[in-house]
Amino acid sequence: QVQLVQSGAEVKKPGASVKVSCKASGYTFSDYGISWVRQAPGQGLEWMGWISPYKGNPKYALELQGRVTMTMDTSTSTAYMELRSLKSDDTAVYYCARTIFGVVIGANWFDPWGQGTLVTVSS
Amino acid sequence: QSVLTQSPSASGTPGQRVTISCSGSNSNIETYIVNWYQQLPGTAPKLLIYSNNKRPSGVPDRFSGSKSGTSASLAISGLQSEDEADYFCAAWDDSLNGPVFGGGTKLTVL
């Protein structure tokens, strides 16, 4: 079955960087994109960006540009998300999700999702 | 403050039909498809409805989606206790140039 398995929880100090991995299985990794979505404690969902082997450069949320980098290693079917200059506001569960792009502009959805990685930023 | 607006909570009794709404604008819902995600307590979100009204394989037909103008709705019929979860709508937004989510609706089955 299609599955995304993420790396374990991280605790970081403000100003540090974190890199979360997302290993895919059960489908052809290069046929789909991977999005990253985060959820602060008790809050809603926030799209961070996506990367796709066939859609050119990664696309990042405006407010995270300059701090986030998303990459894919097709040889290991693993996607990575690195977030730099961490702040306490970055404390959240970070999810990766396989991204399906529809034929219509703006059509995209996330299925399935990884189990989530808790990143805690604290001094 | 989320770009898409959802009521924070909804409730119903077993067997009842409930509707969860999602309000947006002409830069998102009116122009683009809407997706819905279900997040059971302590778990990752799961795709429930995509492209306004399509159900992925395995999602019961008790769940249905619709869209009209700048609003979308998720309807759940024959409510069951296992439907107790948070529900999020999502759509592309031209202003933010990316997908945006509603703030989520917490559904309680009484």
Side-chain angles (χ1 to χ4, degrees):
Chain A
Q1 76 282 20
V2 177
Q3 193 174 8
L4 301 175
V5 178
Q6 299 182 221
S7 49
E10 303 261 13
V11 179
K12 297 291 183 181
K13 293 194 182 306
S17 299
V18 68
K19 191 169 187 176
V20 180
S21 68
C22 169
K23 184 167 177 60
S25 61
Y27 71 98
T28 302
F29 186 62
S30 56
D31 282 352
Y32 297 83
I34 292 285
S35 290
W36 292 87
V37 177
R38 67 180 178 178
Q39 185 172 34
Q43 302 300 309
L45 303 170
E46 178 189 9
W47 177 77
M48 300 177 66
W50 63 40
I51 184 168
S52 169
Y54 59 87
K55 285 187 86 73
N57 295 330
K59 184 176 182 63
Y60 303 132
L62 295 174
E63 69 167 39
L64 292 175
Q65 284 183 7
R67 283 210 301 142
V68 67
T69 300
M70 297 175 187
T71 55
M72 294 176 90
D73 183 346
T74 53
S75 69
T76 60
S77 298
T78 303
Y80 300 91
M81 185 283 299
E82 181 181 33
L83 188 61
R84 299 176 292 279
S85 303
L86 289 169
K87 304 172 281 191
S88 57
D89 286 354
D90 294 319
T91 294
V93 175
Y94 288 74
Y95 295 102
C96 63
R98 187 179 68 163
T99 303
I100 295 98
F101 297 99
V103 294
V104 179
I105 291 176
N108 53 82
W109 48 92
F110 310 136
D111 180 45
W113 297 54
Q115 84 277 18
T117 296
L118 175 62
V119 175
T120 303
V121 182
S122 173
S123 54
Chain B
Q1 190 101 7
S2 301
V3 174
L4 305 182
T5 302
Q6 296 181 241
S7 296
S9 63
S11 63
T13 56
Q16 204 172 21
R17 181 179 190 272
V18 298
T19 301
I20 294 171
S21 63
C22 176
S23 177
S25 68
N26 59 6
S27 70
N28 43 64
I29 290 180
E30 186 170 53
T31 306
Y32 301 105
I33 62 153
V34 176
N35 308 310
W36 291 89
Y37 298 91
Q38 176 193 58
Q39 186 174 33
L40 297 171
T43 70
K46 167 192 162 186
L47 180 66
L48 196 65
I49 297 287
Y50 68 99
S51 197
N52 300 326
N53 53 19
K54 296 180 173 55
R55 284 186 309 277
S57 172
V59 173
D61 58 7
R62 301 187 296 106
F63 294 91
S64 62
S66 63
K67 188 183 87 164
S68 178
T70 59
S71 294
S73 295
L74 172 70
I76 309 172
S77 61
L79 196 63
Q80 298 180 3
S81 58
E82 55 260 41
D83 298 333
E84 193 159 281
D86 292 325
Y87 293 86
F88 296 91
C89 59
W92 184 269
D93 183 85
D94 279 334
S95 302
L96 296 179
N97 198 26
V100 292
F101 292 91
T105 296
K106 184 175 184 62
L107 175 63
T108 301
V109 181
L110 302 169

